[in-house]
Amino acid sequence: MSTLTQNDIEIATRAADTFTRLYYSTYDSPTRVDDLPNFYRANSALTWNGRPFEGIEGVRELVSGIPTTKHEIQSFDCHPIPGSQPPSLLVTVSGIVTHGKGPAGNPANTPRHEVEGHPRVFSQTFVLAPDPNAPPTKSGEVAKYYITADALRFVG
């Protein structure tokens, strides 16, 4: 197993920051059904609040079946996984997501457990792998990654 350098960790952190911003802005966009699956591959695994989905088509199925979203990211953390160069990344994200029009867009009697309308605290964990189809990166550049595993859970 290879040893990580401080440079590896700094590059991985930049990659996770870039990934997090791109992923959630895409998730919240009007074109998410077409664009979000591009972060995944055919063999990617996704578990959304206990429901398993597989690959690009599974992501498309999930996203097309839920209301629009607005994510507010509160924090993220990144841990490079030694063994490849560039290393795979373990990224954890926490924040609040609102589905649909938010509380103001729902009737007052909307049940609290409904996905649509209420802000929900979430935790999401990704395993990102270097994309073998991306052009090679130069020293100090952020590598291109894809999601190999993704698990989201509502916390509250």
Side-chain angles (χ1 to χ4, degrees):
M1 189 179 288
S2 64
T3 303
L4 294 171
T5 66
Q6 185 63 36
N7 190 51
D8 291 333
I9 293 169
E10 289 170 10
I11 292 171
T13 302
R14 286 199 330 255
D17 179 57
T18 300
F19 165 78
T20 302
R21 283 186 282 109
L22 286 172
Y23 181 83
Y24 291 103
S25 65
T26 301
Y27 204 129
D28 294 342
S29 77
T31 60
R32 70 186 184 153
V33 173
D34 293 324
D35 296 339
L36 198 65
N38 295 329
F39 287 84
Y40 299 81
R41 297 296 178 268
N43 62 344
S44 297
L46 165 64
T47 305
W48 193 83
N49 210 39
R51 290 182 50 209
F53 294 88
E54 187 174 338
I56 295 167
E57 289 309 313
V59 173
R60 188 170 278 117
E61 175 189 343
L62 167 66
V63 174
S64 63
I66 59 175
T68 58
T69 56
K70 174 62 180 145
H71 290 85
E72 296 175 43
I73 304 308
Q74 295 177 330
S75 67
F76 77 90
D77 195 14
C78 173
H79 300 275
I81 303 169
S84 65
Q85 194 57 27
S88 293
L89 306 177
L90 178 67
V91 179
T92 56
V93 180
S94 62
I96 298 170
V97 61
T98 302
H99 291 90
K101 298 175 185 173
N106 287 336
N109 63 349
T110 301
R112 180 80 179 124
H113 67 274
E114 285 292 316
V115 169
E116 188 161 353
H118 299 289
R120 309 268 321 258
V121 177
F122 73 93
S123 176
Q124 193 162 14
T125 302
F126 300 94
V127 176
L128 305 181
D131 189 345
N133 299 322
T137 57
K138 298 178 180 90
S139 179
E141 275 187 337
V142 172
K144 305 292 186 250
Y145 287 89
Y146 71 94
I147 299 168
T148 185
D150 172 0
L152 176 133
R153 197 49 102 161
F154 292 123
V155 179

